[in-house]
Amino acid sequence: LRVREMRTSETLTVAVGKSGIDLPDGFLDPIKLRDVTNDITLPLKSEEYIEDIRTWTAAVLDSGDPAYYAIYDEQLQFDAKTSTAWRARALFYKQPDALSTSNETNFMTRRYPHVLRMACLAVGARFAHDSEMHQREQSLLFAEIDNLNALDEQSRRGQEN
């Protein structure tokens, strides 16, 4: 599930000499990463691409201004070791706050209680060892998640980048 309530932003500090920084807490999927110090957007690439374009001198990653990033090893990995400190603005999908005795509601319980119910039915069927019911409930759940993701993307149509 990736809906508007899960979109967030966070400012990150990248220290000198770093080739990667830890993912923000609750990070699920990237939307955009912007170097706000140098006013550039870093395109997301695959980990293979980043590893292929990194340059090394005497087995040490070369320094420079990162131009690309990938996500692996639970970090935002850059194509170069940073030569200066800079600040990044990350837009990403964040995991919803967990429900607990001190946090009894979140956007799932308020906006999508039917999805939460569907998930509980699927897990309950699995717990009861009812494979047929589990498959049926899980299929219904995944179909509804796909539908909600599509509806959420439709709400973004017409937005200017």
Side-chain angles (χ1 to χ4, degrees), residues 109-123:
T109 60
R110 289 186 302 272
R111 186 163 180 218
Y112 304 112
H114 65 291
V115 175
L116 194 57
R117 181 180 181 275
M118 294 168 89
C120 290
L121 288 171
V123 170

